[in-house]
Amino acid sequence: MRRPQLDIQLKTPEQIEKMRAAGLVVAEALRRMREAVAPGVSTADLDAIAEATIREAGAFPSFKGYHGYPASICSSVNEQIVHAIPSPGQVLAEGDLISIDCGAVLDGWHGDAAITVGVGEVDPALLRMAQVAEDAMWAGIAAAARGAASGKGRLTDISHAVENAVRKAGRYGIVEGYGGHGIGTEMHQDPHVLNHGRPGKGPRLVPGMALAIEPMITMGSPRTAELADGWTVVTRDGSRAAHVEHSMALVPDGVWVLTAPDGGRARLGDLVTSRQPTQTS
């Protein structure tokens, strides 16, 4: 079923279960890559880990071949914000900050998530920026859950919550032109989810909506440029950037963070659906 105008795909409980399975594949790939991040590791090494993990699960990498994209992950280092292509020549060094974006398709349904990880000993200010991005993401997810529960929530309540969390945390740039999105039988669906804006606008937040929430922030200016490869987006001023993402679904009794192993329980508590057990195996 799809809502009119923006063509928003509403999922059944059974379809959300399938999305959860895809989300857990992504979660495991990101877990393995996080453990592998170290000085001397190339972004191509990380890409190989992701592809192997995804295929071992019987899924396939959703990024690979998407509009010609050549890899299973996006591996954005330092001033690279999003969509950087893994390469054997890009070797991580002490103090780097890397954002890893990963997607998988299982049984026709997509999962999509991203993490930002420090390499070795990293400037605490950069780690704090990454934490601010993560906290803002969770603030957006919580706003979605509360808005759906009240029956009054609108899409831009998520955007406002993300922006508000970032603004309260410090003087960070919020990247414009890029943001979250609907997700389901395609990786990118309506609606686009901005990381800034006034609340109370856009479609209502209702059970069956599945969204990827993904703040992107910088230590400096939010202005961006795209490199000649047609994919890599960087900060114009060379400042470091962080990007995090989770896919989540709204259900009648709460929210399910599909790409979080615990379903979001540790960060969201009782906002999480009872379908996600309090204790995970």
Side-chain angles (χ1 to χ4, degrees), residues 73-277:
I73 64 169
C74 299
S75 51
S76 305
V77 181
N78 295 334
E79 77 282 358
Q80 298 169 342
I81 304 169
V82 286
H83 303 162
I85 301 169
S87 167
Q90 186 162 46
V91 178
L92 300 177
E94 192 87 13
D96 282 345
L97 197 66
I98 179 171
S99 298
I100 306 169
D101 195 354
C102 181
V105 187
L106 182 65
D107 197 22
W109 294 89
H110 286 253
D112 188 9
I115 57 176
T116 294
V117 185
V119 183
E121 293 294 324
V122 179
D123 183 343
L126 297 179
L127 297 179
R128 171 163 168 71
M129 174 180 63
Q131 187 62 54
V132 167
E134 185 165 346
D135 291 344
M137 173 187 66
W138 285 109
I141 295 171
R146 293 190 181 100
S150 71
K152 300 178 181 179
R154 297 279 186 173
L155 183 70
T156 63
D157 296 349
I158 301 172
S159 309
H160 180 71
V162 170
E163 180 179 14
N164 194 44
V166 174
R167 298 298 184 215
K168 284 184 175 180
R171 296 178 61 84
Y172 299 100
I174 299 176
V175 176
E176 298 182 4
Y178 300 88
H181 50 87
I183 186 169
T185 52
E186 300 90 24
M187 180 165 54
H188 293 114
Q189 298 182 328
D190 284 340
H192 183 61
V193 187
L194 294 172
N195 290 314
H196 55 87
R198 295 183 177 180
K201 299 184 181 298
R204 288 198 180 276
L205 298 169
V206 296
M209 291 181 75
L211 304 169
I213 309 303
E214 51 180 320
M216 302 160 213
I217 65 175
T218 70
M219 290 291 287
S221 168
R223 296 185 65 200
T224 66
E226 186 178 273
L227 299 187
D229 62 15
W231 287 101
T232 308
V233 178
V234 300
T235 58
R236 281 187 179 270
D237 62 3
S239 63
R240 304 283 186 97
H243 169 218
V244 294
E245 176 184 18
H246 266 313
S247 297
M248 63 94 176
L250 296 171
V251 295
D253 69 337
V255 64
W256 202 351
V257 185
L258 304 170
T259 47
D262 71 346
R265 182 76 65 186
R267 292 296 302 253
L268 301 175
D270 290 342
L271 290 175
V272 172
T273 174
S274 60
R275 297 168 111 196
Q276 172 61 41

Side-chain angles (χ1 to χ4, degrees), residues 53-66:
T53 304
I54 291 167
R55 294 194 185 279
E56 283 169 11
F60 66 88
S62 52
F63 293 7
K64 199 163 192 176
Y66 182 74

